[in-house]
Amino acid sequence: MNSHFLAFDWKGFMAHFRQFDANSSALSYSFPPPTVVAGMLAGVLGIEKDEYYERFNRSNLQIAVQIVTPPRKLVQTLNYIFAKSANDLNMSGDNLHTQIPAELLVAPTFPQAPLHYRIFVKTAEAKLAGELEEALRQPKFRYLPYLGSAPFTSWIEWLGVPETIQQLASTEPAIVDTVAPLAALELRSLRMEALDGILPAFFREHVRRDFLPGREPGEVIDVVWERNRGRIKAQFKEPVYRWQLNQQTFHVVFM
Amino acid sequence: MNNSEILFVYDAHMCNPNGDPDEENRPRMDNPTQTNLVSDVRLKRYIRDYLQENGYELYVQKGEAGKTVNASERIQAALGQKKAAKLGDEDLQNLLNKLIDVRLFGATMPIKLEGKGQSIAFTGPVQFNWGYSLNRVYLLDTKSITSHFSSEAGKEQGTIGKDYRVKYSLIAFHGIISGYNAKNTGLKKEDVALLDQALVKAIPLHATRSKVGQEPRLYIRVEYNSDSFVLGDLRKWVKFSPQGTNKDDEVFSVQNVKLDITALVEKMQEHKAKIQQVKFWKDGALSLVGALDALPNGSPLTF
């Protein structure tokens, strides 16, 4: 079966991607995990909540994220309505508010520049690829895209479909531009090796890969990303794709 | 309904635009860049208060003193019922017709409908981003303030708190009205007109101690001709520069502000085929570079 590929930039001034295992503090991932991107794409096409999980499952749609500008986190405490039941949601409870610390993401040079993520999509379904391209190219949205949470409005800049795409041989080390699943790396192949004179700073996050039908939680994976250059040099045992897109080359591994 | 995008700029002079409850109520700041922040919730609160003061019935509203009305009672009151009853689709429509804040901002309501669980969530078509200051903001040294309210019942002395204020902050908000979401809550054209009015008028009316010194300066609402297109965050095309001084910390009032919207006007001209109308309002004291009249299908707001 042929695969279909497309890419776009996703930008906005602030973001919040709540970590699924955070409790009373609303901690944020530094990038949109695959569930967030899938939800946003489903929303753009107007597919209702709880109706897209099967079609947007990893077996049909794969997502890779490049962190173009490494975000900065800032903590702001939010006054939430203190509700012990839905009956208190109009601020009628005894204690009106509860304070929730929330991590918000901004670009290093906020507010001069926005946050910037580059999203790569691979799907086995030609119809879905066509619908996404039509929606993102124009752009033409049903539900508007938010960076993780409704107060963080965002915009999308279409990049295109790759001119060429090539799967690299797994016998050579590769330098990828995207967040990579740890399981995609050969054991002990990640090196603290300077790229262009800059030492890498690796971070690990624990993300959910997808939802299963009925909003059943899917597999949880560990991923690694690099803050200084956004590039990871390692030996990969999962496919690394070389994209030629608008005269640029990207090395992409899907989450 | 069509999509709209909103650019709203107001300023804060020697006051506290939005305190952080966990930080001694300091104005919210992104410290590395000295950017003042205001949450979307704070802005929506101004709008809710304005609507309530003008006699509109709300779902999330301040009750009469000493009287709490829980959400179920609130819904019953809005429907003119005395007792809790199972609600049908028609009741739901009546509720939406009555409660303008739900039509604008959405809500989760404890309503039992056949096969739909214990509560119903309406996603609001109107969403605001967090506002941020276009200038570098300096906090004033705080003095301690005293309150007549004691920390516990029975104590004689009041509490002592801190009173942080910004020297001057020019705050820009971006908002979106989603035509697609508007269908779900039954948002009306009149509601959008009222939202225009509330944003321009509400803030000076909200003159509590920490909020005295805030003035709206610029409001632009771009209405597209479809429910599927937005340009995305109009603040990208707005540029602030100080006027009458070269130093950021000498920006002390609207007299020191020059706002350049040339790039925004150009962007709108470029996409004029997608724009139905632009509604705008500007405060007389604000120096603007770029003409509001040049916005495609633009017309000033009148109330």
Side-chain angles (χ1 to χ4, degrees):
Chain A
M1 200 190 312
N2 283 337
S3 293
H4 305 269
F5 298 86
L6 57 91
F8 59 92
D9 280 339
W10 194 7
K11 297 180 183 178
F13 283 102
M14 291 177 115
H16 174 74
F17 308 113
R18 187 175 171 145
Q19 293 182 5
F20 78 87
D21 51 354
N23 47 29
S24 65
S25 296
L27 304 177
S28 176
Y29 295 116
S30 296
F31 57 89
T35 46
V36 167
V37 180
M40 184 276 284
L41 291 175
V44 155
L45 299 182
I47 307 172
E48 296 297 328
K49 190 165 78 176
D50 296 340
E51 288 175 11
Y52 66 86
Y53 305 130
E54 197 152 16
R55 199 179 181 204
F56 284 66
N57 186 274
R58 190 171 185 270
S59 59
N60 195 42
L61 180 96
Q62 286 176 270
I63 288 156
V65 177
Q66 180 187 4
I67 303 172
V68 182
T69 54
R72 196 155 57 75
K73 287 181 177 176
L74 63 107
V75 176
Q76 290 288 317
T77 303
L78 308 179
N79 253 333
Y80 277 27
I81 294 175
F82 185 80
K84 284 172 288 185
S85 76
N87 242 337
D88 296 333
L89 286 173
N90 67 337
M91 293 178 58
S92 59
D94 295 335
N95 298 309
L96 290 180
H97 287 127
T98 180
Q99 273 96 43
I100 305 291
E103 273 185 335
L104 308 181
L105 304 179
V106 293
T109 54
F110 171 80
Q112 263 66 49
L115 290 161
H116 182 178
Y117 300 102
R118 186 163 292 143
I119 313 291
F120 302 89
V121 176
K122 175 188 176 211
T123 174
E125 191 195 325
K127 185 164 172 280
L128 180 57
E131 287 171 15
L132 288 174
E133 177 169 349
E134 195 197 340
L136 300 171
R137 186 190 281 273
Q138 295 197 23
K140 191 176 179 191
F141 306 131
R142 291 319 288 291
Y143 293 109
L144 301 171
Y146 301 112
L147 278 172
S149 177
F152 308 121
T153 57
S154 68
W155 66 97
I156 279 170
E157 293 170 9
W158 172 250
L159 284 174
V161 294
E163 288 107 33
T164 64
I165 199 141
Q166 181 191 353
Q167 198 174 319
L168 299 189
S170 61
T171 49
E172 294 292 316
I175 301 174
V176 303
D177 299 296
T178 56
V179 178
L182 267 182
L185 276 62
E186 289 287 359
L187 200 62
R188 297 194 190 91
S189 71
L190 191 66
R191 300 260 175 241
M192 286 298 285
E193 186 182 310
L195 283 177
D196 303 335
I198 298 171
L199 272 174
F202 295 115
F203 289 83
R204 184 160 96 166
E205 311 244 19
H206 196 54
V207 304
R208 198 170 290 290
R209 196 175 239 173
D210 56 12
F211 284 115
L212 307 175
R215 207 182 170 81
E216 288 288 322
E219 187 189 1
V220 171
I221 57 169
D222 283 326
V223 297
V224 60
W225 63 281
E226 199 285 314
R227 193 187 56 197
N228 296 333
R229 302 284 319 279
R231 308 176 88 185
I232 299 165
K233 184 177 181 184
Q235 179 90 29
F236 287 86
K237 56 186 174 187
E238 282 188 23
V240 173
Y241 293 93
R242 176 180 289 156
W243 294 51
Q244 284 294 336
L245 181 68
N246 305 332
Q247 281 87 52
Q248 281 182 284
T249 307
F250 303 100
H251 292 93
V252 171
V253 58
F254 288 98
M255 272 190 272
Chain B
M1 181 177 287
N2 296 325
N3 284 350
S4 282
E5 277 187 285
I6 292 167
L7 171 72
F8 177 49
V9 181
Y10 69 98
D11 63 2
H13 179 228
M14 304 270 278
C15 61
N16 186 351
N18 187 199
D20 186 335
D22 231 14
E23 284 263 345
E24 294 184 315
N25 210 38
R26 272 190 188 83
R28 295 184 186 279
M29 292 292 290
D30 175 39
N31 288 314
T33 55
Q34 281 180 274
T35 305
N36 179 215
L37 301 170
V38 178
S39 75
D40 60 312
V41 182
R42 175 62 267 177
L43 190 69
K44 287 182 189 171
R45 184 88 234 154
Y46 289 123
I47 297 165
R48 280 204 167 93
D49 287 350
Y50 180 83
L51 295 173
Q52 192 174 352
E53 279 154 23
N54 282 277
Y56 290 88
E57 202 171 344
L58 304 183
Y59 175 58
V60 180
Q61 70 174 31
K62 287 184 278 189
E64 291 167 44
K67 193 179 160 196
T68 58
V69 179
N70 75 26
S72 294
E73 290 164 352
R74 188 81 212 86
I75 290 164
Q76 285 158 31
L79 288 171
Q81 298 173 344
K82 290 207 172 94
K83 280 185 186 165
K86 273 211 166 157
L87 302 181
D89 283 341
E90 201 181 316
D91 295 318
L92 220 52
Q93 284 313 312
N94 283 340
L95 263 185
L96 289 172
N97 279 336
K98 286 254 168 104
L99 303 171
I100 185 175
D101 61 335
V102 182
R103 295 201 296 277
L104 290 166
F105 304 132
T108 300
M109 295 174 148
I111 295 174
K112 289 172 194 141
L113 279 185
E114 293 285 321
K116 285 191 181 167
Q118 295 294 301
S119 61
I120 292 185
F122 293 102
T123 307
V126 178
Q127 299 288 353
F128 289 99
N129 212 313
W130 275 47
Y132 58 74
S133 65
L134 300 172
N135 62 317
R136 273 171 184 260
V137 170
Y138 296 81
L139 295 192
L140 296 172
D141 289 339
T142 175
K143 300 279 185 280
S144 289
I145 52 167
T146 54
S147 156
H148 282 295
F149 292 101
S150 59
S151 55
E152 282 171 47
K155 288 208 169 173
E156 283 183 9
Q157 73 272 51
T159 50
I160 295 182
K162 294 288 182 185
D163 181 31
Y164 294 93
R165 290 163 185 251
V166 298
K167 188 173 171 188
Y168 182 77
S169 178
L170 185 73
I171 301 154
F173 267 94
H174 170 244
I176 277 181
I177 304 174
S178 160
Y180 195 70
N181 260 339
K183 284 186 224 128
N184 297 330
T185 67
L187 185 72
K188 304 169 189 170
K189 280 194 170 166
E190 303 89 88
D191 300 337
V192 176
L194 204 55
L195 180 71
D196 290 340
Q197 185 180 330
L199 278 165
V200 172
K201 291 187 172 177
I203 285 180
L205 295 176
H206 191 94
T208 61
R209 193 174 155 281
S210 70
K211 303 286 183 280
V212 169
Q214 298 196 128
E215 292 286 341
R217 298 300 179 189
L218 181 68
Y219 177 83
I220 297 174
R221 180 169 62 81
V222 186
E223 186 183 326
Y224 301 103
N225 57 15
S226 76
D227 65 358
S228 61
F229 178 80
V230 283
L231 280 168
D233 215 321
L234 306 177
R235 295 174 295 187
K236 283 179 273 187
W237 299 295
V238 176
K239 216 175 133 204
F240 161 86
S241 51
Q243 184 167 248
T245 171
N246 289 322
K247 290 184 188 161
D248 282 335
D249 61 349
E250 288 176 4
V251 175
F252 195 61
S253 78
V254 69
Q255 311 302 328
N256 303 126
V257 169
K258 195 160 76 177
L259 215 53
D260 188 343
I261 59 161
T262 311
L264 178 65
V265 174
E266 282 171 9
K267 194 43 86 175
M268 294 292 156
Q269 287 292 352
E270 192 187 311
H271 287 91
K272 66 179 174 194
K274 289 181 169 150
I275 293 171
Q276 178 110 346
Q277 60 166 345
V278 182
K279 291 281 182 193
F280 59 80
W281 174 90
K282 184 186 98 65
D283 179 57
L286 178 72
S287 300
L288 209 58
V289 183
L292 286 165
D293 297 348
L295 290 164
N297 304 319
S299 59
L301 275 171
T302 48
F303 304 116

